[in-house]
Amino acid sequence: MVVDARMAQTAAPAPAMASDITQQPKAPSTGLVKLAKDVFAGTCGGISVTLVGHPFDTIKVRLQTQPMDKPIYAGVVDCAKKTVQWEGLPGLYKGVASPLAGQMFFRASLFGAFGESKRWLATNADGSSRALRTSDYYKAGAITGFIAAFTEGPIDFYKSQIQVQIIRSKADP
């Protein structure tokens, strides 16, 4: 039996399987939802980075700002021990609020910018999508770095100014 090509094109589609009927269609994920996910992930990353890294930053700043002629700490381990002995574990987290807020904002902008850059680079002029090439990831990273400079620069400058206030106040009586 020969099947006419025109009949094959107009033939009714095969009936749906029972398993196909029970599956709900997925809601389309919009760019705004993807951006929100990126920003949320970045915010969580900023919280994690700060909670893990701030004690090390506190020790570093204390070592850098101690007097040279009469040092308070003999080294990193001594600084950590004395901080915990004198102030308890919360002493390692002194001044954490500003870096926490800053890192949350910085990481959120970093993740958001990278995600949006990749989506922008994957969109053709006609609105269709394409797979990203390796060079596109480099371009997305460069765009992200450019944007991140505008958020990280002021945050880091402000943090540094706060950390050296005591030195300035002692030097200028």
Side-chain angles (χ1 to χ4, degrees), residues 29-82:
S29 185
T30 64
L32 192 57
V33 172
K34 289 179 181 179
L35 176 62
K37 287 179 182 180
D38 289 338
V39 168
F40 180 73
T43 301
C44 291
I47 292 168
S48 300
V49 162
T50 305
L51 293 179
V52 171
H54 192 75
F56 297 104
D57 194 52
T58 300
I59 291 168
K60 176 195 74 163
V61 169
R62 288 181 178 196
L63 288 170
Q64 288 175 333
T65 58
Q66 69 179 335
M68 294 292 286
D69 55 339
K70 292 183 187 177
I72 299 167
Y73 311 108
V76 174
V77 175
D78 185 51
C79 182
K81 282 181 183 177
K82 286 181 179 174

Side-chain angles (χ1 to χ4, degrees), residues 26 42 49 54 56 62 78 93 101 114 120 128 139 143 169:
K26 290 184 179 178
V49 162
H54 192 75
F56 297 104
R62 288 181 178 196
D78 185 51
Y93 287 94
F114 189 62
W120 178 68
S128 62
K139 292 173 190 174
I143 293 167
S169 69

